Amino acid sequence: MRKLLLLLVLFSACPVFAQKAPEGIWQGYDGEWLHVSQQLVALAEATPQEKFSWRPAPGVRSTSEVYMHIAIANFYLLSVTGPAMPPELKEEMEKSVSKKPDVINWLKRSQEAVKQAHLAVKPADLSRKVHIADRDATVDGMYLRIIVHANEHMGQLIAYSRMTGVAPPWSNQ
């Protein structure tokens, strides 16, 4: 009876394994960057403008501030590896840029900068030492931090969207 139950459980799980994985998943850094970038943009585009000013509590980043924080961090962390930050990008823009098209433009621009820089980096350069804040890191470690940071805030933005009645476009509600 136990073996039969085990077989039933295993066979019922087969459709889950047969589903097509989202684009980029399990495809290394560039694939994973593509995946999180597409999800962030899709979620931002699905969020109505009036939800961009929503914040879960006083003193906590609003939806637009989270997206702008990601964009600014992408450029900043990337700059530690060499590419210069856009001269017009200022830290205070996290709070001052709140119109949906402007936020999405900065987000996409920062994602493209990371993508192009990573595509151009030579494998030997990934072990090059850089300094950030109070420690030494490697270029590879900086790229890892960029993608982890984006995914961390993706989770935050999914929670924000759910709290405001916006379903992530890739979900089944």
Side-chain angles (χ1 to χ4, degrees), residues 2-139:
R2 236 190 226 176
K3 287 181 183 179
L4 180 60
L5 184 59
L6 179 61
L7 284 173
L8 286 173
V9 168
L10 288 174
F11 284 121
S12 67
C14 287
V16 171
F17 295 117
Q19 292 177 1
K20 187 175 186 309
E23 185 177 11
I25 296 291
W26 305 304
Q27 300 302 305
Y29 182 90
D30 295 326
E32 294 291 342
W33 182 246
L34 173 68
H35 179 69
V36 72
S37 294
Q38 287 177 339
Q39 282 192 315
L40 282 165
V41 170
L43 189 57
E45 289 174 341
T47 303
Q49 172 64 56
E50 63 271 11
K51 307 286 185 186
F52 270 57
S53 61
W54 183 86
R55 65 182 78 240
V60 178
R61 284 185 178 112
S62 69
T63 300
S64 68
E65 289 170 350
V66 175
Y67 282 114
M68 285 304 296
H69 170 75
I70 295 167
I72 293 167
N74 286 345
F75 280 120
Y76 170 68
L77 294 170
L78 184 60
S79 77
V80 173
T81 72
M85 289 182 65
E88 69 276 22
L89 184 64
K90 308 292 181 219
E91 189 176 339
E92 59 270 10
M93 290 172 69
E94 180 177 309
K95 294 189 185 310
S96 66
V97 176
S98 59
K99 287 189 170 75
K100 180 177 173 174
D102 298 334
V103 170
I104 292 173
N105 179 56
W106 276 108
L107 179 64
K108 286 179 176 180
R109 191 171 160 190
S110 74
Q111 292 170 332
E112 185 64 19
V114 172
K115 175 185 170 185
Q116 293 305 320
H118 191 262
L119 288 172
V121 74
K122 305 220 179 330
D125 196 37
L126 291 172
S127 61
R128 180 172 51 88
K129 297 284 187 208
V130 296
H131 189 80
I132 183 166
D134 63 343
R135 65 190 59 180
D136 290 330
T138 62
V139 169

